[in-house]
């Protein structure tokens, strides 16, 4: 009888000690997660607060060159003079994004310039970030650009570096013509934008 009672008490104590250590571990894990989330939140909020939007290229350029006079400035080429500016988004210290429309070709253009980032070849960029293609494939790559096909959405983008400055950019083109070749469109607008 004493052996059974001892075994029962031992089992209860063992179970209770296991439960208490599990509780301690889970509360520590929750604390770490909370601390981690709290640590990243201010950086995200700062990025959101600092992002500015402009309705014209001239407005953006005046603000950008006032603050960042020594940084790379992408100048819209003459071909873009007939295009409409939908929006320009500027995130100081990181990038700016031009959203344009080419009414003649019914094309929507998104060009992001990552002005602090320079690389001699596009493969250097992929090597630096330890690039993983995930649910995408590179359908064409040169020293100056790569065209990425996102399999899940069947969409394409061009990741490249500009002329002599070697500044990173991302280009996305959407056409109202569903029969248009997306790779050919990216190459066409790369030339029109003089990238």
């Amino acid at each position: 009888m004493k052996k059974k009672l001892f075994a029962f008490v031992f089992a209860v104590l063992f179970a209770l000690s296991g439960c208490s250590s599990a509780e301690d571990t889970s509360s520590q894990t929750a604390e770490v997660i909370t601390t981690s989330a709290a640590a990243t939140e201010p950086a995200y909020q700062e990025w959101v607060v600092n992002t500015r939007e402009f309705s014209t290229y001239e407005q953006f350029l005046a603000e950008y060159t006032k603050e960042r006079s020594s940084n790379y400035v992408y100048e819209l080429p003459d071909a873009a003079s007939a295009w409409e500016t939908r929006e320009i988004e500027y995130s100081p210290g990181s990038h700016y994004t031009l959203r344009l429309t080419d009414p003649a070709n019914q094309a929507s253009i998104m060009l992001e310039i990552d002005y602090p980032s320079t690389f001699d070849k596009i493969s250097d960029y992929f090597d630096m970030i330890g690039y993983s293609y995930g649910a995408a494939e590179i359908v064409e790559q040169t020293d100056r650009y790569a065209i990425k096909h996102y399999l899940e959405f069947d969409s394409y983008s061009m990741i490249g570096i500009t002329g002599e400055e070697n500044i990173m950019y991302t280009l996305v083109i959407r056409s109202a013509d569903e029969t248009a070749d997306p790779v050919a469109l990216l190459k066409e607008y790369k030339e029109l934008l003089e990238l």
Side-chain angles (χ1 to χ4, degrees):
M1 177 77 169
K2 286 184 181 178
K3 288 183 182 178
K4 286 184 182 178
L5 181 59
F6 178 76
F8 177 75
V9 170
F10 181 77
V12 169
L13 288 174
F14 181 78
L16 289 174
S17 69
C19 290
S20 69
S21 70
E23 287 173 16
D24 289 344
T25 305
S26 65
S27 66
Q28 288 171 355
T29 304
E31 185 176 289
V32 170
I33 291 170
T34 304
T35 304
S36 174
T40 60
E41 192 173 318
Y44 174 74
Q45 287 175 344
E46 182 179 329
W47 178 81
V48 170
V49 168
N50 286 337
T51 299
R52 301 174 204 155
E53 294 179 1
F54 302 91
S55 55
T56 70
Y57 182 75
E58 291 74 21
Q59 290 172 344
F60 156 72
L61 203 55
E63 180 87 2
Y64 177 73
T65 54
K66 179 176 66 177
E67 292 183 3
R68 305 274 176 183
S69 60
S70 63
N71 283 350
Y72 171 77
V73 176
Y74 169 74
E75 294 186 25
L76 282 171
D78 292 339
S81 62
W83 299 349
E84 299 167 3
T85 301
R86 293 192 321 272
E87 176 187 64
I88 299 174
E89 187 179 273
Y90 170 41
S91 298
S94 138
H95 68 280
Y96 50 89
T97 305
L98 296 94
R99 290 182 177 84
L100 311 163
T101 301
D102 177 1
N105 293 322
Q106 296 185 336
S108 173
I109 303 148
M110 190 283 299
L111 174 63
E112 181 176 289
I113 304 288
D114 298 324
Y115 59 86
S117 304
T118 61
F119 295 93
D120 291 331
K121 297 182 295 188
I122 198 65
S123 59
D124 294 342
Y125 166 71
F126 289 145
D127 291 344
M128 185 207 72
I129 63 169
Y131 190 72
S132 168
Y133 300 119
E137 62 182 347
I138 300 296
V139 295
E140 184 175 325
Q141 183 172 338
T142 70
D143 281 347
R144 307 301 295 169
Y145 69 83
I147 297 177
K148 186 174 179 181
H149 177 210
Y150 301 88
L151 303 172
E152 183 178 354
F153 306 106
D154 193 27
S155 62
Y156 294 78
S157 70
M158 178 181 284
I159 304 163
I161 45 182
T162 60
E164 295 174 6
E165 302 87 359
N166 292 338
I167 303 292
M168 288 295 304
Y169 70 84
T170 302
L171 176 64
V172 177
I173 307 296
R174 302 273 185 258
S175 174
D177 179 3
E178 294 181 5
T179 64
D181 177 356
V183 173
L185 273 175
L186 284 167
K187 289 180 180 180
E188 177 186 346
Y189 278 90
K190 175 191 175 300
E191 295 305 317
L192 289 171
L193 288 161
E194 299 176 10
L195 297 167

